[in-house]
Amino acid sequence: MARTFRRPRQSHPIAEMNVTNLIDLGFTLLIIFMIATPLINQEQTIPVNLPLESKSAQEQVDKSLHFVALSVDAKGNYYLDDRVTPVSMPELRRPLRIFAAEAKRR
């Protein structure tokens, strides 16, 4: 009686994917980015001399001062303080004269 040593063929597909190469690629990219990132950061820094903190006491704001916000938009419209509507130049002159007179009285 003759004996055959052939294995029977597997007819089902392999359900597992070999991810060894993907893991190697991921670690290689991680190492490249870990080396390249500090070098990029060193090239892009601009040396700036920032002001140092003052150790002296800050001056107290005079409570009698009155601050006014005057805004001008791109179209040339004037806005006084928190007003939403634009103010014309003749309307703007009157409050500014009052503010100037208050400053002269002090």
Side-chain angles (χ1 to χ4, degrees):
M1 172 183 246
R3 185 165 172 115
T4 60
F5 291 101
R6 276 196 233 166
R7 287 186 173 177
R9 287 190 176 177
Q10 294 177 349
S11 60
H12 60 70
I14 299 173
E16 298 173 359
M17 188 171 101
N18 187 5
V19 293
T20 306
N21 293 336
L22 292 175
I23 292 172
D24 290 343
L25 177 67
F27 281 128
T28 304
L29 289 174
L30 179 66
I31 292 170
I32 290 171
F33 287 128
M34 287 173 61
I35 293 171
T37 302
L39 298 175
I40 292 172
N41 287 340
Q42 288 176 357
E43 290 177 1
Q44 293 180 352
T45 57
I46 299 172
V48 178
N49 294 329
L50 297 175
L52 300 175
E53 180 181 356
S54 173
K55 300 292 181 187
S56 63
Q58 294 184 355
E59 296 178 19
Q60 295 295 326
V61 178
D62 187 11
K63 296 190 189 264
S64 64
L65 290 177
H66 179 74
F67 293 98
V68 179
L70 179 62
S71 305
V72 182
D73 64 1
K75 296 179 183 176
N77 297 325
Y78 299 103
Y79 298 93
L80 187 63
D81 284 332
D82 294 332
R83 284 183 139 177
V84 181
T85 57
V87 180
S88 66
M89 185 56 80
E91 293 175 1
L92 186 62
R93 286 183 182 148
R94 187 174 60 84
L96 291 179
R97 284 185 182 148
I98 293 171
F99 297 141
E102 288 178 6
K104 286 181 183 177
R105 279 188 250 149
R106 289 185 206 150

PDB file of all heavy atoms in Angstrom, residues 77-106:
ATOM      1  N   ASN A  77     -16.620 106.190   9.322  1.00  0.00           N
ATOM      2  CA  ASN A  77     -17.682 106.529  10.272  1.00  0.00           C
ATOM      3  C   ASN A  77     -17.100 106.598  11.675  1.00  0.00           C
ATOM      4  O   ASN A  77     -16.235 105.803  12.043  1.00  0.00           O
ATOM      5  CB  ASN A  77     -18.802 105.480  10.232  1.00  0.00           C
ATOM      6  CG  ASN A  77     -19.475 105.423   8.880  1.00  0.00           C
ATOM      7  OD1 ASN A  77     -19.636 106.420   8.213  1.00  0.00           O
ATOM      8  ND2 ASN A  77     -19.860 104.225   8.482  1.00  0.00           N
ATOM      9  N   TYR A  78     -17.592 107.551  12.468  1.00  0.00           N
ATOM     10  CA  TYR A  78     -17.123 107.745  13.837  1.00  0.00           C
ATOM     11  C   TYR A  78     -18.124 107.126  14.803  1.00  0.00           C
ATOM     12  O   TYR A  78     -19.333 107.230  14.620  1.00  0.00           O
ATOM     13  CB  TYR A  78     -16.981 109.237  14.155  1.00  0.00           C
ATOM     14  CG  TYR A  78     -15.995 109.943  13.276  1.00  0.00           C
ATOM     15  CD1 TYR A  78     -16.419 110.745  12.221  1.00  0.00           C
ATOM     16  CD2 TYR A  78     -14.632 109.825  13.490  1.00  0.00           C
ATOM     17  CE1 TYR A  78     -15.522 111.393  11.403  1.00  0.00           C
ATOM     18  CE2 TYR A  78     -13.723 110.470  12.676  1.00  0.00           C
ATOM     19  CZ  TYR A  78     -14.175 111.253  11.638  1.00  0.00           C
ATOM     20  OH  TYR A  78     -13.282 111.891  10.832  1.00  0.00           O
ATOM     21  N   TYR A  79     -17.590 106.516  15.864  1.00  0.00           N
ATOM     22  CA  TYR A  79     -18.416 105.923  16.918  1.00  0.00           C
ATOM     23  C   TYR A  79     -17.860 106.403  18.252  1.00  0.00           C
ATOM     24  O   TYR A  79     -16.676 106.284  18.515  1.00  0.00           O
ATOM     25  CB  TYR A  79     -18.372 104.398  16.868  1.00  0.00           C
ATOM     26  CG  TYR A  79     -18.907 103.830  15.580  1.00  0.00           C
ATOM     27  CD1 TYR A  79     -18.060 103.547  14.514  1.00  0.00           C
ATOM     28  CD2 TYR A  79     -20.259 103.578  15.426  1.00  0.00           C
ATOM     29  CE1 TYR A  79     -18.543 103.034  13.334  1.00  0.00           C
ATOM     30  CE2 TYR A  79     -20.762 103.057  14.242  1.00  0.00           C
ATOM     31  CZ  TYR A  79     -19.897 102.787  13.199  1.00  0.00           C
ATOM     32  OH  TYR A  79     -20.381 102.287  12.026  1.00  0.00           O
ATOM     33  N   LEU A  80     -18.717 106.948  19.103  1.00  0.00           N
ATOM     34  CA  LEU A  80     -18.318 107.481  20.398  1.00  0.00           C
ATOM     35  C   LEU A  80     -18.754 106.509  21.483  1.00  0.00           C
ATOM     36  O   LEU A  80     -19.935 106.140  21.552  1.00  0.00           O
ATOM     37  CB  LEU A  80     -18.951 108.855  20.617  1.00  0.00           C
ATOM     38  CG  LEU A  80     -18.503 109.628  21.845  1.00  0.00           C
ATOM     39  CD1 LEU A  80     -17.027 109.940  21.764  1.00  0.00           C
ATOM     40  CD2 LEU A  80     -19.299 110.903  21.991  1.00  0.00           C
ATOM     41  N   ASP A  81     -17.838 106.115  22.327  1.00  0.00           N
ATOM     42  CA  ASP A  81     -18.064 105.158  23.421  1.00  0.00           C
ATOM     43  C   ASP A  81     -18.701 103.878  22.901  1.00  0.00           C
ATOM     44  O   ASP A  81     -18.168 103.256  22.014  1.00  0.00           O
ATOM     45  CB  ASP A  81     -18.887 105.788  24.533  1.00  0.00           C
ATOM     46  CG  ASP A  81     -18.027 106.728  25.373  1.00  0.00           C
ATOM     47  OD1 ASP A  81     -16.806 106.511  25.455  1.00  0.00           O
ATOM     48  OD2 ASP A  81     -18.577 107.686  25.941  1.00  0.00           O
ATOM     49  N   ASP A  82     -19.852 103.494  23.452  1.00  0.00           N
ATOM     50  CA  ASP A  82     -20.479 102.224  23.086  1.00  0.00           C
ATOM     51  C   ASP A  82     -21.623 102.389  22.087  1.00  0.00           C
ATOM     52  O   ASP A  82     -22.458 101.497  21.959  1.00  0.00           O
ATOM     53  CB  ASP A  82     -21.005 101.521  24.345  1.00  0.00           C
ATOM     54  CG  ASP A  82     -19.883 101.099  25.263  1.00  0.00           C
ATOM     55  OD1 ASP A  82     -18.779 100.854  24.741  1.00  0.00           O
ATOM     56  OD2 ASP A  82     -20.106 101.003  26.482  1.00  0.00           O
ATOM     57  N   ARG A  83     -21.680 103.487  21.412  1.00  0.00           N
ATOM     58  CA  ARG A  83     -22.765 103.697  20.451  1.00  0.00           C
ATOM     59  C   ARG A  83     -22.635 102.757  19.268  1.00  0.00           C
ATOM     60  O   ARG A  83     -21.547 102.492  18.774  1.00  0.00           O
ATOM     61  CB  ARG A  83     -22.747 105.125  19.918  1.00  0.00           C
ATOM     62  CG  ARG A  83     -23.268 106.139  20.884  1.00  0.00           C
ATOM     63  CD  ARG A  83     -23.258 107.474  20.226  1.00  0.00           C
ATOM     64  NE  ARG A  83     -24.447 108.222  20.529  1.00  0.00           N
ATOM     65  CZ  ARG A  83     -24.647 109.451  20.117  1.00  0.00           C
ATOM     66  NH1 ARG A  83     -23.742 110.039  19.372  1.00  0.00           N
ATOM     67  NH2 ARG A  83     -25.725 110.078  20.437  1.00  0.00           N
ATOM     68  N   VAL A  84     -23.789 102.259  18.810  1.00  0.00           N
ATOM     69  CA  VAL A  84     -23.816 101.353  17.674  1.00  0.00           C
ATOM     70  C   VAL A  84     -23.993 102.125  16.372  1.00  0.00           C
ATOM     71  O   VAL A  84     -23.488 101.724  15.325  1.00  0.00           O
ATOM     72  CB  VAL A  84     -24.950 100.312  17.858  1.00  0.00           C
ATOM     73  CG1 VAL A  84     -24.993  99.342  16.702  1.00  0.00           C
ATOM     74  CG2 VAL A  84     -24.787  99.574  19.170  1.00  0.00           C
ATOM     75  N   THR A  85     -24.672 103.239  16.451  1.00  0.00           N
ATOM     76  CA  THR A  85     -24.911 104.048  15.252  1.00  0.00           C
ATOM     77  C   THR A  85     -23.762 105.030  15.070  1.00  0.00           C
ATOM     78  O   THR A  85     -23.205 105.542  16.045  1.00  0.00           O
ATOM     79  CB  THR A  85     -26.229 104.833  15.384  1.00  0.00           C
ATOM     80  OG1 THR A  85     -26.173 105.642  16.563  1.00  0.00           O
ATOM     81  CG2 THR A  85     -27.405 103.874  15.473  1.00  0.00           C
ATOM     82  N   PRO A  86     -23.398 105.308  13.825  1.00  0.00           N
ATOM     83  CA  PRO A  86     -22.304 106.260  13.595  1.00  0.00           C
ATOM     84  C   PRO A  86     -22.702 107.686  13.990  1.00  0.00           C
ATOM     85  O   PRO A  86     -23.864 108.065  13.950  1.00  0.00           O
ATOM     86  CB  PRO A  86     -22.038 106.156  12.094  1.00  0.00           C
ATOM     87  CG  PRO A  86     -23.147 105.382  11.511  1.00  0.00           C
ATOM     88  CD  PRO A  86     -23.890 104.713  12.605  1.00  0.00           C
ATOM     89  N   VAL A  87     -21.689 108.458  14.366  1.00  0.00           N
ATOM     90  CA  VAL A  87     -21.884 109.850  14.783  1.00  0.00           C
ATOM     91  C   VAL A  87     -21.267 110.736  13.712  1.00  0.00           C
ATOM     92  O   VAL A  87     -20.147 110.501  13.263  1.00  0.00           O
ATOM     93  CB  VAL A  87     -21.200 110.093  16.146  1.00  0.00           C
ATOM     94  CG1 VAL A  87     -21.381 111.531  16.590  1.00  0.00           C
ATOM     95  CG2 VAL A  87     -21.723 109.147  17.186  1.00  0.00           C
ATOM     96  N   SER A  88     -22.003 111.781  13.303  1.00  0.00           N
ATOM     97  CA  SER A  88     -21.460 112.702  12.300  1.00  0.00           C
ATOM     98  C   SER A  88     -20.468 113.650  12.969  1.00  0.00           C
ATOM     99  O   SER A  88     -20.426 113.774  14.190  1.00  0.00           O
ATOM    100  CB  SER A  88     -22.590 113.486  11.632  1.00  0.00           C
ATOM    101  OG  SER A  88     -23.201 114.332  12.585  1.00  0.00           O
ATOM    102  N   MET A  89     -19.686 114.322  12.159  1.00  0.00           N
ATOM    103  CA  MET A  89     -18.666 115.221  12.689  1.00  0.00           C
ATOM    104  C   MET A  89     -19.278 116.367  13.499  1.00  0.00           C
ATOM    105  O   MET A  89     -18.783 116.673  14.588  1.00  0.00           O
ATOM    106  CB  MET A  89     -17.797 115.766  11.555  1.00  0.00           C
ATOM    107  CG  MET A  89     -16.645 116.612  12.049  1.00  0.00           C
ATOM    108  SD  MET A  89     -15.570 115.789  13.211  1.00  0.00           S
ATOM    109  CE  MET A  89     -14.571 114.845  12.126  1.00  0.00           C
ATOM    110  N   PRO A  90     -20.360 117.023  13.052  1.00  0.00           N
ATOM    111  CA  PRO A  90     -20.934 118.076  13.910  1.00  0.00           C
ATOM    112  C   PRO A  90     -21.465 117.522  15.247  1.00  0.00           C
ATOM    113  O   PRO A  90     -21.343 118.181  16.276  1.00  0.00           O
ATOM    114  CB  PRO A  90     -22.086 118.642  13.080  1.00  0.00           C
ATOM    115  CG  PRO A  90     -21.738 118.310  11.667  1.00  0.00           C
ATOM    116  CD  PRO A  90     -20.967 117.034  11.723  1.00  0.00           C
ATOM    117  N   GLU A  91     -22.021 116.332  15.239  1.00  0.00           N
ATOM    118  CA  GLU A  91     -22.505 115.736  16.493  1.00  0.00           C
ATOM    119  C   GLU A  91     -21.336 115.354  17.400  1.00  0.00           C
ATOM    120  O   GLU A  91     -21.485 115.336  18.621  1.00  0.00           O
ATOM    121  CB  GLU A  91     -23.341 114.486  16.213  1.00  0.00           C
ATOM    122  CG  GLU A  91     -24.647 114.756  15.516  1.00  0.00           C
ATOM    123  CD  GLU A  91     -25.369 113.470  15.146  1.00  0.00           C
ATOM    124  OE1 GLU A  91     -24.845 112.375  15.449  1.00  0.00           O
ATOM    125  OE2 GLU A  91     -26.442 113.552  14.543  1.00  0.00           O
ATOM    126  N   LEU A  92     -20.213 115.064  16.824  1.00  0.00           N
ATOM    127  CA  LEU A  92     -19.045 114.639  17.581  1.00  0.00           C
ATOM    128  C   LEU A  92     -18.337 115.826  18.232  1.00  0.00           C
ATOM    129  O   LEU A  92     -17.739 115.688  19.301  1.00  0.00           O
ATOM    130  CB  LEU A  92     -18.079 113.894  16.654  1.00  0.00           C
ATOM    131  CG  LEU A  92     -16.870 113.251  17.274  1.00  0.00           C
ATOM    132  CD1 LEU A  92     -17.291 112.184  18.263  1.00  0.00           C
ATOM    133  CD2 LEU A  92     -15.996 112.646  16.195  1.00  0.00           C
ATOM    134  N   ARG A  93     -18.421 116.998  17.630  1.00  0.00           N
ATOM    135  CA  ARG A  93     -17.701 118.166  18.152  1.00  0.00           C
ATOM    136  C   ARG A  93     -18.218 118.585  19.527  1.00  0.00           C
ATOM    137  O   ARG A  93     -17.440 118.977  20.397  1.00  0.00           O
ATOM    138  CB  ARG A  93     -17.826 119.329  17.175  1.00  0.00           C
ATOM    139  CG  ARG A  93     -16.981 119.141  15.964  1.00  0.00           C
ATOM    140  CD  ARG A  93     -17.057 120.324  15.033  1.00  0.00           C
ATOM    141  NE  ARG A  93     -16.251 120.048  13.853  1.00  0.00           N
ATOM    142  CZ  ARG A  93     -16.527 120.495  12.664  1.00  0.00           C
ATOM    143  NH1 ARG A  93     -17.572 121.255  12.468  1.00  0.00           N
ATOM    144  NH2 ARG A  93     -15.741 120.196  11.650  1.00  0.00           N
ATOM    145  N   ARG A  94     -19.528 118.510  19.734  1.00  0.00           N
ATOM    146  CA  ARG A  94     -20.100 118.975  20.997  1.00  0.00           C
ATOM    147  C   ARG A  94     -19.610 118.153  22.192  1.00  0.00           C
ATOM    148  O   ARG A  94     -19.114 118.728  23.170  1.00  0.00           O
ATOM    149  CB  ARG A  94     -21.627 118.967  20.914  1.00  0.00           C
ATOM    150  CG  ARG A  94     -22.302 119.580  22.117  1.00  0.00           C
ATOM    151  CD  ARG A  94     -23.806 119.680  21.932  1.00  0.00           C
ATOM    152  NE  ARG A  94     -24.445 118.388  21.715  1.00  0.00           N
ATOM    153  CZ  ARG A  94     -24.811 117.550  22.692  1.00  0.00           C
ATOM    154  NH1 ARG A  94     -24.588 117.878  23.936  1.00  0.00           N
ATOM    155  NH2 ARG A  94     -25.392 116.415  22.421  1.00  0.00           N
ATOM    156  N   PRO A  95     -19.684 116.805  22.162  1.00  0.00           N
ATOM    157  CA  PRO A  95     -19.162 116.059  23.330  1.00  0.00           C
ATOM    158  C   PRO A  95     -17.654 116.229  23.516  1.00  0.00           C
ATOM    159  O   PRO A  95     -17.160 116.278  24.651  1.00  0.00           O
ATOM    160  CB  PRO A  95     -19.505 114.603  23.031  1.00  0.00           C
ATOM    161  CG  PRO A  95     -20.362 114.579  21.844  1.00  0.00           C
ATOM    162  CD  PRO A  95     -20.327 115.911  21.220  1.00  0.00           C
ATOM    163  N   LEU A  96     -16.910 116.351  22.413  1.00  0.00           N
ATOM    164  CA  LEU A  96     -15.458 116.516  22.552  1.00  0.00           C
ATOM    165  C   LEU A  96     -15.114 117.859  23.180  1.00  0.00           C
ATOM    166  O   LEU A  96     -14.162 117.965  23.960  1.00  0.00           O
ATOM    167  CB  LEU A  96     -14.781 116.351  21.196  1.00  0.00           C
ATOM    168  CG  LEU A  96     -14.798 114.933  20.609  1.00  0.00           C
ATOM    169  CD1 LEU A  96     -14.118 114.903  19.263  1.00  0.00           C
ATOM    170  CD2 LEU A  96     -14.166 113.935  21.559  1.00  0.00           C
ATOM    171  N   ARG A  97     -15.884 118.903  22.869  1.00  0.00           N
ATOM    172  CA  ARG A  97     -15.652 120.217  23.514  1.00  0.00           C
ATOM    173  C   ARG A  97     -15.952 120.139  25.001  1.00  0.00           C
ATOM    174  O   ARG A  97     -15.252 120.741  25.817  1.00  0.00           O
ATOM    175  CB  ARG A  97     -16.512 121.286  22.851  1.00  0.00           C
ATOM    176  CG  ARG A  97     -15.983 121.730  21.519  1.00  0.00           C
ATOM    177  CD  ARG A  97     -16.789 122.876  20.955  1.00  0.00           C
ATOM    178  NE  ARG A  97     -16.271 123.230  19.648  1.00  0.00           N
ATOM    179  CZ  ARG A  97     -16.992 123.704  18.663  1.00  0.00           C
ATOM    180  NH1 ARG A  97     -18.281 123.882  18.815  1.00  0.00           N
ATOM    181  NH2 ARG A  97     -16.437 124.016  17.513  1.00  0.00           N
ATOM    182  N   ILE A  98     -16.995 119.392  25.358  1.00  0.00           N
ATOM    183  CA  ILE A  98     -17.340 119.256  26.783  1.00  0.00           C
ATOM    184  C   ILE A  98     -16.226 118.519  27.515  1.00  0.00           C
ATOM    185  O   ILE A  98     -15.813 118.918  28.613  1.00  0.00           O
ATOM    186  CB  ILE A  98     -18.693 118.516  26.929  1.00  0.00           C
ATOM    187  CG1 ILE A  98     -19.821 119.379  26.371  1.00  0.00           C
ATOM    188  CG2 ILE A  98     -18.956 118.149  28.384  1.00  0.00           C
ATOM    189  CD1 ILE A  98     -21.145 118.652  26.273  1.00  0.00           C
ATOM    190  N   PHE A  99     -15.705 117.461  26.912  1.00  0.00           N
ATOM    191  CA  PHE A  99     -14.616 116.717  27.540  1.00  0.00           C
ATOM    192  C   PHE A  99     -13.355 117.570  27.663  1.00  0.00           C
ATOM    193  O   PHE A  99     -12.641 117.503  28.658  1.00  0.00           O
ATOM    194  CB  PHE A  99     -14.295 115.446  26.755  1.00  0.00           C
ATOM    195  CG  PHE A  99     -15.423 114.453  26.714  1.00  0.00           C
ATOM    196  CD1 PHE A  99     -15.678 113.739  25.564  1.00  0.00           C
ATOM    197  CD2 PHE A  99     -16.238 114.243  27.809  1.00  0.00           C
ATOM    198  CE1 PHE A  99     -16.716 112.822  25.504  1.00  0.00           C
ATOM    199  CE2 PHE A  99     -17.281 113.331  27.766  1.00  0.00           C
ATOM    200  CZ  PHE A  99     -17.516 112.617  26.616  1.00  0.00           C
ATOM    201  N   ALA A 100     -13.069 118.388  26.667  1.00  0.00           N
ATOM    202  CA  ALA A 100     -11.894 119.256  26.718  1.00  0.00           C
ATOM    203  C   ALA A 100     -12.052 120.316  27.806  1.00  0.00           C
ATOM    204  O   ALA A 100     -11.090 120.656  28.500  1.00  0.00           O
ATOM    205  CB  ALA A 100     -11.673 119.907  25.356  1.00  0.00           C
ATOM    206  N   ALA A 101     -13.271 120.838  27.972  1.00  0.00           N
ATOM    207  CA  ALA A 101     -13.508 121.849  29.013  1.00  0.00           C
ATOM    208  C   ALA A 101     -13.357 121.215  30.400  1.00  0.00           C
ATOM    209  O   ALA A 101     -12.854 121.868  31.331  1.00  0.00           O
ATOM    210  CB  ALA A 101     -14.890 122.454  28.845  1.00  0.00           C
ATOM    211  N   GLU A 102     -13.766 119.984  30.576  1.00  0.00           N
ATOM    212  CA  GLU A 102     -13.601 119.299  31.863  1.00  0.00           C
ATOM    213  C   GLU A 102     -12.117 119.129  32.198  1.00  0.00           C
ATOM    214  O   GLU A 102     -11.717 119.291  33.345  1.00  0.00           O
ATOM    215  CB  GLU A 102     -14.286 117.947  31.833  1.00  0.00           C
ATOM    216  CG  GLU A 102     -15.781 117.982  31.859  1.00  0.00           C
ATOM    217  CD  GLU A 102     -16.395 116.601  31.773  1.00  0.00           C
ATOM    218  OE1 GLU A 102     -15.641 115.592  31.800  1.00  0.00           O
ATOM    219  OE2 GLU A 102     -17.628 116.510  31.632  1.00  0.00           O
ATOM    220  N   ALA A 103     -11.319 118.839  31.204  1.00  0.00           N
ATOM    221  CA  ALA A 103      -9.887 118.636  31.441  1.00  0.00           C
ATOM    222  C   ALA A 103      -9.211 119.937  31.835  1.00  0.00           C
ATOM    223  O   ALA A 103      -8.265 119.939  32.628  1.00  0.00           O
ATOM    224  CB  ALA A 103      -9.233 118.047  30.193  1.00  0.00           C
ATOM    225  N   LYS A 104      -9.665 121.068  31.301  1.00  0.00           N
ATOM    226  CA  LYS A 104      -9.041 122.365  31.623  1.00  0.00           C
ATOM    227  C   LYS A 104      -9.397 122.794  33.050  1.00  0.00           C
ATOM    228  O   LYS A 104      -8.634 123.480  33.697  1.00  0.00           O
ATOM    229  CB  LYS A 104      -9.522 123.433  30.636  1.00  0.00           C
ATOM    230  CG  LYS A 104      -8.905 123.280  29.265  1.00  0.00           C
ATOM    231  CD  LYS A 104      -9.395 124.363  28.347  1.00  0.00           C
ATOM    232  CE  LYS A 104      -8.829 124.168  26.947  1.00  0.00           C
ATOM    233  NZ  LYS A 104      -9.341 125.161  26.006  1.00  0.00           N
ATOM    234  N   ARG A 105     -10.567 122.383  33.530  1.00  0.00           N
ATOM    235  CA  ARG A 105     -10.990 122.778  34.884  1.00  0.00           C
ATOM    236  C   ARG A 105     -10.172 122.086  35.969  1.00  0.00           C
ATOM    237  O   ARG A 105     -10.084 122.568  37.073  1.00  0.00           O
ATOM    238  CB  ARG A 105     -12.471 122.442  35.076  1.00  0.00           C
ATOM    239  CG  ARG A 105     -13.371 123.490  34.470  1.00  0.00           C
ATOM    240  CD  ARG A 105     -14.794 123.252  34.836  1.00  0.00           C
ATOM    241  NE  ARG A 105     -15.469 122.829  33.588  1.00  0.00           N
ATOM    242  CZ  ARG A 105     -16.468 122.020  33.488  1.00  0.00           C
ATOM    243  NH1 ARG A 105     -16.986 121.480  34.557  1.00  0.00           N
ATOM    244  NH2 ARG A 105     -16.993 121.721  32.336  1.00  0.00           N
ATOM    245  N   ARG A 106      -9.570 120.970  35.671  1.00  0.00           N
ATOM    246  CA  ARG A 106      -8.819 120.221  36.707  1.00  0.00           C
ATOM    247  C   ARG A 106      -7.493 120.801  36.953  1.00  0.00           C
ATOM    248  O   ARG A 106      -6.713 121.327  36.469  1.00  0.00           O
ATOM    249  CB  ARG A 106      -8.692 118.766  36.284  1.00  0.00           C
ATOM    250  CG  ARG A 106      -9.993 118.094  36.367  1.00  0.00           C
ATOM    251  CD  ARG A 106      -9.837 116.621  36.076  1.00  0.00           C
ATOM    252  NE  ARG A 106     -11.131 116.159  35.574  1.00  0.00           N
ATOM    253  CZ  ARG A 106     -11.295 115.182  34.736  1.00  0.00           C
ATOM    254  NH1 ARG A 106     -10.269 114.557  34.267  1.00  0.00           N
ATOM    255  NH2 ARG A 106     -12.479 114.797  34.364  1.00  0.00           N
TER     256      ARG A 106
END
